[in-house]
Amino acid sequence: MRAVIQRVSRARVSAEGEVVGAIGKGLLVLAAVESGDDDKDVAFLSKKILNLRLFSDAAGKMNLSVRDVGGSLLLVSQFTLFGDCRKGNRPSYSRASPGGEAEALYQTLLSSLRESEVAVEAGRFQAMMEVSLVNDGPVTVIVDSRREI
């Protein structure tokens, strides 16, 4: 699984003209499922999202997690994170997991995050969505469950 995680002052996602998820201070998480991902990838990503220290402490050092600051999460599925642009001008999405498999793992990730004490909102899987955010910092990191960084 791959996620682009952005520290935000606020974020919201709309589908079909209606707001389906909105948060104040917290993390916007754009998440994609790769073919071959399983529950271990979900567990890794869930733990990482909840524990990444992306918020500043009293000394101004990024030393606090979304849990520590009482922030929220907005999870949005985005299969295009596995777009391969190395050849030609049209990205290949062959590494992205097929819809049904991807949705099952995405829902497992959403459930795992909701089991924490952090408030979690979400977009709609496979819907055309509009995401708006105020990136705080800006702070943006990429996490991949199968790649050592």
Side-chain angles (χ1 to χ4, degrees):
M1 294 185 88
R2 180 174 291 160
V4 173
I5 303 168
Q6 297 178 297
R7 186 178 74 187
V8 298
S9 301
R10 64 183 177 276
R12 72 181 198 167
V13 60
S14 300
E16 299 175 8
E18 83 173 280
V19 175
V20 295
I23 63 169
K25 180 179 185 173
L27 299 175
L28 169 64
V29 179
L30 305 173
V33 179
E34 185 175 13
S35 291
D37 281 345
D38 59 24
D39 289 340
K40 288 183 282 185
D41 297 281
V42 170
F44 172 87
L45 191 56
S46 177
K47 182 177 178 183
K48 191 61 74 172
I49 291 166
L50 293 168
N51 293 299
L52 272 173
R53 296 185 299 175
L54 298 176
F55 295 87
S56 298
D57 61 16
K61 185 174 183 175
M62 284 198 303
N63 205 25
L64 301 173
S65 71
V66 69
R67 292 178 197 220
D68 297 331
V69 299
S72 302
L73 298 172
L74 177 56
L75 181 66
V76 177
S77 63
Q78 188 169 353
F79 79 94
T80 60
L81 294 179
F82 281 109
D84 184 348
C85 301
R86 293 177 292 175
K87 293 183 182 176
N89 294 316
R90 183 184 313 212
S92 167
Y93 300 105
S94 61
R95 289 180 53 199
S97 183
E101 294 171 28
E103 184 172 14
L105 286 176
Y106 171 82
Q107 293 299 335
T108 302
L109 175 61
L110 183 57
S111 294
S112 175
L113 293 170
R114 285 185 167 155
E115 289 173 3
S116 72
E117 65 277 10
V118 175
V120 180
E121 296 282 324
R124 282 196 192 136
F125 191 84
Q126 285 189 325
M128 285 297 294
M129 294 176 277
E130 292 182 357
V131 179
S132 60
L133 66 133
V134 176
N135 194 316
D136 180 21
V139 173
T140 302
V141 297
I142 300 169
V143 176
D144 194 313
S145 65
R146 291 204 218 165
R147 182 174 177 185
E148 292 182 28
I149 299 176

